[in-house]
Amino acid sequence: MSEVSRNRWANEFREWFREVIFKAGVYDYRYPIKGVGVWPPYGAKIRRNVVSIIRKLLDETGHDEVLFPLLIPEEILKKESEHIAKFESEVYWVTQGGSERLERKLALRPTSETAIMEMLKLWVKAHTDLPIRIYQIVSVFRYETKATQPMIRVREVTTFKEAHTAHATMKEAEEQVQVAVKVYKEFFDEICVPYMISRRPEWDKFAGAVYTIAFDTLMPDGRTLQIGTVHNLGQNFSRAFDVKYLKPDGTHEYVYTTSYGISERAIAALISIHGDDHGLVLPPNIAPIQVVIVAIPYKGHEAAVYSNCRDLFEELKEAGIRAFLDDREDITPGEKFYYWELKGVPVRVEIGPKDISQGVITVSRRDTLERMRVKREKSVEYISQLLMRIKHDLRERARKWLKGKEHEVNEINEARNIISQGLGVALVPWCGDDECGQELEELIEGSILGIPMDEHIECKGKKCINCGRKAETYVRLARTY
Amino acid sequence: MSEVSRNRWANEFREWFREVIFKAGVYDYRYPIKGVGVWPPYGAKIRRNVVSIIRKLLDETGHDEVLFPLLIPEEILKKESEHIAKFESEVYWVTQGGSERLERKLALRPTSETAIMEMLKLWVKAHTDLPIRIYQIVSVFRYETKATQPMIRVREVTTFKEAHTAHATMKEAEEQVQVAVKVYKEFFDEICVPYMISRRPEWDKFAGAVYTIAFDTLMPDGRTLQIGTVHNLGQNFSRAFDVKYLKPDGTHEYVYTTSYGISERAIAALISIHGDDHGLVLPPNIAPIQVVIVAIPYKGHEAAVYSNCRDLFEELKEAGIRAFLDDREDITPGEKFYYWELKGVPVRVEIGPKDISQGVITVSRRDTLERMRVKREKSVEYISQLLMRIKHDLRERARKWLKGKEHEVNEINEARNIISQGLGVALVPWCGDDECGQELEELIEGSILGIPMDEHIECKGKKCINCGRKAETYVRLARTY
């Protein structure tokens, strides 16, 4: 993906995104409700692969999958006051069953802290019941009043992975936050999405949290996209829901809870960051089809070509590679190339009479569009390794690209320029005062993502970019989605 | 599971069911909305195993997984008149977003035919776009006014697998119905749930269908439970939604559609049919833990016992068996036996000093409660085979049991007695007339499940059990859930 094309996208990125997810069959936003879409087969397969990755990571780190109800009674959603204050304006309410008016309104979950706390109250009795680490992958709903955008700002978030944990001490909750951050790092590395980890400022933390650590990525148009959050909820929810446990010393204490979530924005990010003017570029572990074989039949050589293709197809399948043999006869090889490039299949193989006579196959990388000829007898081994290399290259290229988009600056106009021109993220020294921070956001017409948690920048001797007082820390500034 | 215990359940079955799913951690119905429950970790694992089985069967038979929105606009849900007439009284309606009243009501899907037809209209243009075979596994909602029952009659069906297909001809739709029936047979065989397949009478078919073929099982209290349905929808929905395709001859025709669904009732059935007074009895392929190893430590032999247990645990894991080593020291072996029996773990292994000195392990089958001593060096092989045998035995025992509960009778009082006393299903000759059939249902205080599709009973020369006219067919009568 060249810088040229990326720049060209800056203005047109949203249009490009809409077009590519629709044409490639990832997501169909023509469903007749605003902000709500359909995952057709190809997109659903991508989604399934991404979901398996996070599920595996959570299963391996002591999390248990559960399933909680969609509906949350009004009085339960309202128990934690900061929480409802934030969510109240964007909750969908069920008020009617059949033709009857319900006695009490039921919310479509905007997130499940409240539903889960209600059950934890029944599940947690003593310290031996702790810790509890559970997660679910469900739809959540937000009545967005802002402009919606497919997969990115939606009213039905169809792929919300939310984890919830409860602990005996604040220290254990803190440790769990670190576990969550580690799991998310591995997850985003695995799906080749680069990230910045920032501790959100006070005014931008999750409603009801003690603090929030967020993962943001950068989209081709220069805006950051929040793709994951980890919240330490302290005892805020356990007090509101009266979730206490019996300590070994016979006294009771409120539990400490955390929650952390990711959504289909992870998929939107990987599509946005790796795609190009030809369409999707999928990391091999996410791609529903990893290798497509396109027969190049010349008159008189059809039988040999097809049989060669079929053999390779069987060999690849045998090796555990998700291969597909495109033997359609009603469209040309050129049309097939175009079709599979749009779909983002990582590797394309062409086999024609010339390849056969020379004992080779022609292999193309979707990410670099390079073509190479490979000895037929080594092709399975070559392709296996190529798939791994592509994944590695995608991840590293994107990581480097993001790194290059973070600009350390000490001057407010410079910071505003960077973010207003879509050049990326500005790293600036800040005093740490909430009022000053919110003023700063207005001045730069952007947001404070927060204090970097993934890198340390020495701010000794620096002055706050806004008020000029002694800087306490560097913070990231950006235009956000 | 002895007949005695089964009979004893007849009256208490519902209570037994509620107790066992709660105590074993399968399903927690204490969530503060009627008819809505939580899948805690153990139940969620059972659910995941069951879901993988149906997913695999559908993937292998040309179905593509998709994901459609939860919300269906009122005007779309109402397009097919028979459909809405049936569902109208049990639809949950979202009428409010934040504090605003929505311009149009949105239904929580009771099933997705209408949402899917709305998109098929965009997806289907020509005969080359057909057939389409898609499925999703989602929550659906029914505002049940009858008494709810956990997992069986719920307001949020959390595990609704619904498949939808579209075809060029009625013949292909008919063939698809047969494919669906075959898939469901394999599915229920796989989870060891016995079934009867019946073509529902006209008045009991799915709202909007040409006909419905249903899978019913029998619960221990003698009532049948509908566990799967397959609908041939003909052109009913495609006409209502104007879904047409271009035929090779240049004319347009409405597509023919089918739909078929199963739900967590499948899990409720397997629990009900195989469970006993000790708790769950899980088929090994469904069980989250297939083998539990309980150490029987005697003073002075602890180290040897635990090391022996750990070795076996590693060997079982190596062999791909889901084993669990219960080395808790704060509870007695007896308490562990009780705990794991409740959880339905198919095989329990005990290892104590005596076992070690004799070079054996003690193995217990959860289904028969038999105990046997097995040579230590052959234990992994023995357990592998035992797991397969248990699955086979559970399935066959249940199949035979159901077979014994079908009674061919020719007399109306006899039929009523069978179903009113919870003895099972009555097979009776029937004239085939709808009016007569509905009268028959009133007389027997039960339902006509329909015409058996899985067995043929000659009705030549027989007279309708109700009106006395010439019998057209046998039908199954039952009390249903």
Side-chain angles (χ1 to χ4, degrees), chain A residues 256-382:
Chain A
Y256 296 81
T257 65
T258 79
S259 67
Y260 31 106
I262 51 171
S263 74
E264 62 255 46
R265 279 189 168 190
I267 302 172
L270 82 86
I271 288 172
S272 302
I273 290 166
H274 296 294
D276 65 18
D277 291 354
H278 300 256
L280 297 180
V281 176
L282 294 175
N285 53 334
I286 307 300
I289 296 170
Q290 298 173 311
V291 179
V292 62
I293 305 169
V294 177
I296 314 285
Y298 278 82
K299 223 173 168 159
H301 296 89
E302 290 92 342
V305 166
Y306 284 121
S307 110
N308 233 282
C309 288
R310 265 191 304 273
D311 288 349
L312 181 61
F313 170 70
E314 292 298 334
E315 289 168 36
L316 290 170
K317 233 174 53 176
E318 188 69 27
I321 293 169
R322 294 191 290 271
F324 184 80
L325 172 56
D326 188 349
D327 54 6
R328 287 179 286 179
E329 292 184 4
D330 54 339
I331 63 170
T332 67
E335 288 169 314
K336 292 180 186 178
F337 294 176
Y338 176 85
Y339 179 83
W340 295 112
E341 281 175 0
L342 175 60
K343 293 264 188 189
V345 175
V347 170
R348 183 182 75 222
V349 171
E350 298 153 46
I351 301 181
K354 209 171 135 195
D355 297 297
I356 295 173
S357 70
Q358 296 180 358
V360 299
I361 60 171
T362 302
V363 175
S364 302
R365 278 177 75 150
R366 175 64 186 89
D367 60 334
T368 59
L369 300 172
E370 283 171 277
R371 287 176 97 203
M372 42 244 141
R373 313 196 82 195
V374 177
K375 283 226 171 85
R376 173 64 181 86
E377 70 263 30
K378 297 209 165 163
S379 47
V380 175
E381 194 194 333
Y382 181 86

Side-chain angles (χ1 to χ4, degrees), chain A residues 28-34 36-42 44-45 47-48 55 59 63-73 75-76 88-102 104-106 108-109 115-116 118-119 122-123 134-135 139 141 143 145 155-156 158-159, chain B residues 28-34 36-42 44-45 47-48 55 59 63-73 75-76 88-102 104-106 108-109 115-116 118-119 122-123 134-135 139 141 143 145 155-156 158-159:
Chain A
D28 194 331
Y29 38 77
R30 295 174 297 171
Y31 191 77
I33 298 179
K34 177 177 136 83
V36 159
V38 174
W39 293 88
Y42 196 68
K45 285 186 181 74
R47 178 178 178 270
R48 196 197 275 192
R55 194 171 255 147
D59 289 349
H63 298 77
D64 284 310
E65 191 168 359
V66 295
L67 187 57
F68 272 72
L70 168 74
L71 299 171
I72 303 178
E75 72 276 15
I76 287 168
E88 192 151 38
S89 66
E90 48 184 60
V91 168
Y92 274 110
W93 293 103
V94 176
T95 62
Q96 200 183 324
S99 54
E100 291 171 29
R101 193 170 176 78
L102 299 181
R104 52 178 188 171
K105 290 197 287 187
L106 303 172
L108 303 191
R109 66 180 154 229
I116 284 169
E118 191 68 18
M119 295 307 287
L122 302 171
W123 292 354
I134 54 181
Y135 74 97
S139 280
F141 293 82
Y143 182 63
T145 43
R155 289 181 166 185
E156 178 178 15
T158 58
T159 317
Chain B
D28 194 330
Y29 38 75
R30 293 174 299 171
Y31 190 76
I33 298 180
K34 179 178 135 83
V36 159
V38 175
W39 292 87
Y42 196 69
K45 287 186 180 73
R47 178 178 179 269
R48 195 197 275 191
R55 195 171 254 145
D59 289 349
H63 298 77
D64 284 310
E65 191 167 0
V66 295
L67 187 57
F68 272 70
L70 168 74
L71 299 171
I72 303 177
E75 72 275 15
I76 287 168
E88 194 150 36
S89 66
E90 49 183 63
V91 169
Y92 274 111
W93 293 103
V94 177
T95 62
Q96 200 182 324
S99 54
E100 290 171 30
R101 193 169 175 79
L102 299 181
R104 53 178 186 167
K105 290 196 289 186
L106 303 172
L108 303 191
R109 65 180 155 230
I116 283 169
E118 191 70 17
M119 295 307 288
L122 302 170
W123 293 354
I134 55 182
Y135 74 96
S139 279
F141 294 81
Y143 181 64
T145 44
R155 288 180 166 186
E156 177 177 18
T158 58
T159 317

Side-chain angles (χ1 to χ4, degrees), chain B residues 294 296 333-342 348 350:
Chain B
V294 177
I296 314 285
E335 287 169 315
K336 293 181 185 179
F337 294 176
Y338 177 84
Y339 179 83
W340 294 111
E341 280 177 0
L342 175 61
R348 183 182 75 222
E350 299 152 47

Side-chain angles (χ1 to χ4, degrees), chain A residues 205-242:
Chain A
K205 66 187 188 189
F206 177 73
V210 176
Y211 63 85
T212 291
I213 292 175
F215 283 67
D216 298 288
T217 194
L218 189 68
M219 296 293 257
D221 63 358
R223 287 179 186 251
T224 58
L225 181 71
Q226 174 175 300
I227 48 175
T229 47
V230 181
H231 316 295
N232 189 333
L233 308 173
Q235 294 180 316
N236 292 350
F237 281 85
S238 63
R239 282 178 198 278
F241 284 84
D242 194 31

Side-chain angles (χ1 to χ4, degrees), chain B residues 189-254:
Chain B
D189 284 346
E190 199 55 30
I191 67 168
C192 303
V193 169
Y195 47 82
M196 296 166 285
I197 309 174
S198 312
R199 182 172 164 137
R200 287 277 185 263
E202 272 301 299
W203 62 91
D204 197 26
K205 66 187 187 187
F206 178 72
V210 177
Y211 63 84
T212 290
I213 292 175
F215 284 67
D216 298 289
T217 194
L218 189 67
M219 296 294 256
D221 62 358
R223 287 180 186 251
T224 59
L225 180 72
Q226 175 174 301
I227 48 175
T229 48
V230 181
H231 316 295
N232 189 332
L233 307 173
Q235 293 179 316
N236 292 349
F237 282 85
S238 62
R239 282 177 197 278
F241 284 83
D242 194 31
V243 182
K244 280 184 277 203
Y245 73 99
L246 180 66
K247 294 168 79 166
D249 68 6
T251 61
H252 283 86
E253 188 175 352
Y254 293 109

